Amino acid sequence: MSKLLHQRPIHNPLSDPYPLSPRSSSTSQRPISIFSPTTLLVLLSLLVVLGVFLPWVGMPEFIFSSTRPSLSKWRDYTLAQAASFVAKNGTVIVCAVSQPYLPFLNNWLISIARQKHQDKVLVIAEDYATLYKVNERWPGHAVLVPPAPDAQTAHKFGSQGFFNFTSRRPRHLLHILELGYNVMYNDVDMVWLADPFPYLQGHHDVYFTDDMAAVKPLNHSHELPPPGKKGRTYICSCMIFLRPSSGAKLVMKKWIEELQAQPWSKAKKANDQPAFNWALNKTAGEVDLYLLPQAAFPTGGLYFKNQTWVQETKGMNVIIHNNYITGFEKKIKRFHDFGLWLVDDHALESPLGRLR
């Protein structure tokens, strides 16, 4: 008996988290440790299978990354990819937006959706918050062209931040032209009352609007207006339509040159519009330019301040620009006063829905 006891393995309960009890002496009933050879072999086999098959089945990237796939995808989204995705009939509608102006973007989109042109809209996001927010709600319709400007606030007209923001515009437009698309640019403090595309008559290189508030005759010339007191015209850089012609590309390149020649400084608080006008003036002999009708595309200095003219042109107005006023809240109040702030009651008409 003592010999048998001597040959029996001595069980040390401290070395086994699951000590055998008198009722469970069967090996098959003994729980398997997570570190057992069998378990480790199963885990290793699973990792091999995942490594072989995941690339083929497209398993979401977030399983192996702390970055959500939607974020990493849009961070790498290029302007060429975005333009190809949104273009309809060879045309892209472009705006440039930073996060503080998302309510204006939504307001503008509602008005475009009512004209059935929202699908061709491309939002050039000027910060990553805008890029992710738009693509979360409306996948593929926002792109960020690096480098992103510094964190955005609602930049005041004439500030250096405003200049930095708007001076990127001609490069974006030139890139889209070089991809072969027609491109319409709008500021998002605009509202469409009707479809503007029937007014883009002929095959001119560049279409634009006059920013002067002086009333023109209904049958006014579509030529580039004569220069004003500063030796240049006063064309608005906030509503432009371009065809992918050599003439339109020349104007964009000249605009970029003029912006570089007239940088912002505290003494001279430049913005993008004078440079656009110099570009038009200096290329006018080489480019086919077209001034859009004032009744259809009035400046804010006319539409919001001359109600007699508004009554006389009722039914003719197509795109209203809320300029000739500065300040985020002031623009919203003016839109409210004229029944053009659509977001409060009609947000669900926007592709973005109700933003919070």
Side-chain angles (χ1 to χ4, degrees):
M1 181 70 175
S2 60
K3 186 176 181 180
L4 288 174
L5 287 173
H6 179 72
Q7 292 176 342
R8 185 179 180 181
I10 299 173
H11 178 70
N12 181 1
L14 296 178
S15 65
D16 189 347
Y18 302 101
L20 292 171
S21 69
R23 294 184 181 181
S24 58
S25 59
S26 171
T27 312
S28 62
Q29 292 178 326
R30 188 177 194 177
I32 299 174
S33 168
I34 192 171
F35 298 110
S36 70
T38 303
T39 306
L40 291 174
L41 182 60
V42 170
L43 289 174
L44 181 60
S45 301
L46 181 59
L47 287 173
V48 170
V49 170
L50 290 175
V52 171
F53 289 105
L54 277 181
W56 296 98
V57 300
M59 183 65 74
E61 179 179 61
F62 66 82
I63 289 179
F64 301 105
S65 172
S66 60
T67 304
R68 293 187 315 190
S70 58
L71 302 191
S72 60
K73 174 182 178 180
W74 300 125
R75 183 177 281 269
D76 298 331
Y77 197 41
T78 67
L79 184 56
Q81 290 173 318
S84 175
F85 177 74
V86 306
K88 302 291 182 291
N89 298 319
T91 298
V92 179
I93 301 170
V94 171
C95 66
V97 184
S98 59
Q99 188 177 24
Y101 281 90
L102 283 173
F104 282 92
L105 170 64
N106 226 13
N107 198 66
W108 176 72
L109 283 173
I110 292 168
S111 71
I112 293 179
R114 291 179 174 182
Q115 305 306 322
K116 312 299 183 186
H117 286 293
Q118 73 277 13
D119 287 346
K120 57 174 70 82
V121 168
L122 176 59
V123 178
I124 296 182
E126 296 293 353
D127 51 58
Y128 286 100
T130 301
L131 176 72
Y132 300 144
K133 174 61 72 174
V134 174
N135 282 329
E136 175 191 7
R137 298 296 188 92
W138 199 22
H141 283 267
V143 66
L144 188 146
V145 181
D150 295 334
Q152 298 295 318
T153 57
H155 291 306
K156 184 178 179 181
F157 179 82
S159 68
Q160 185 172 9
F162 184 85
F163 177 81
N164 293 342
F165 179 82
T166 58
S167 62
R168 290 161 54 88
R169 183 185 309 167
R171 294 184 183 278
H172 301 330
L173 298 179
L174 177 60
H175 190 172
I176 295 171
L177 292 176
E178 289 175 337
L179 291 169
Y181 301 105
N182 301 312
V183 57
M184 175 186 284
Y185 175 82
N186 276 192
D187 272 3
V188 291
D189 61 342
M190 291 184 166
V191 169
W192 291 22
L193 301 183
D195 187 346
F197 284 93
Y199 294 83
L200 306 174
Q201 301 173 358
H203 295 279
H204 309 285
D205 295 319
V206 185
Y207 300 69
F208 45 79
T209 62
D210 197 336
D211 210 18
M212 296 295 287
V215 175
K216 295 177 179 289
L218 292 177
N219 62 344
H220 68 76
S221 169
H222 297 291
E223 300 290 327
L224 183 68
K229 294 180 180 179
K230 295 184 178 181
R232 56 169 170 77
T233 51
Y234 205 66
I235 297 302
C236 188
S237 60
C238 306
M239 158 61 203
I240 310 168
F241 182 78
L242 306 158
R243 299 198 186 278
S245 62
S246 58
K249 294 173 189 176
L250 177 63
V251 171
M252 293 300 101
K253 291 173 183 176
K254 194 65 180 175
W255 189 2
I256 294 168
E257 289 177 11
E258 293 296 325
L259 283 167
Q260 292 171 340
Q262 302 175 44
W264 188 92
S265 67
K266 290 184 178 179
K268 186 178 181 181
K269 298 181 179 180
N271 64 79
D272 69 297
Q273 186 158 300
F276 178 60
N277 277 265
W278 283 120
L280 290 174
N281 297 167
K282 292 179 179 182
T283 60
E286 307 169 67
V287 182
D288 186 353
L289 305 175
Y290 187 86
L291 176 66
L292 290 162
Q294 184 186 55
F297 302 89
T299 185
L302 178 56
Y303 184 85
F304 294 109
K305 297 186 177 183
N306 190 333
Q307 290 309 296
T308 300
W309 180 86
V310 171
Q311 288 300 317
E312 291 173 351
T313 60
K314 190 173 182 179
M316 301 181 193
N317 311 137
V318 176
I319 295 183
I320 307 304
H321 187 196
N322 196 355
N323 64 343
Y324 274 74
I325 190 172
T326 58
F328 191 87
E329 298 301 331
K330 289 180 180 178
K331 284 178 180 280
I332 292 178
K333 182 180 184 303
R334 182 197 257 178
F335 266 156
H336 265 297
D337 293 345
F338 283 79
L340 297 175
W341 189 247
L342 311 174
V343 173
D344 291 344
D345 299 324
H346 306 282
L348 296 182
E349 294 182 41
S350 166
L352 300 180
R354 192 177 302 280
L355 295 175
R356 292 178 178 84

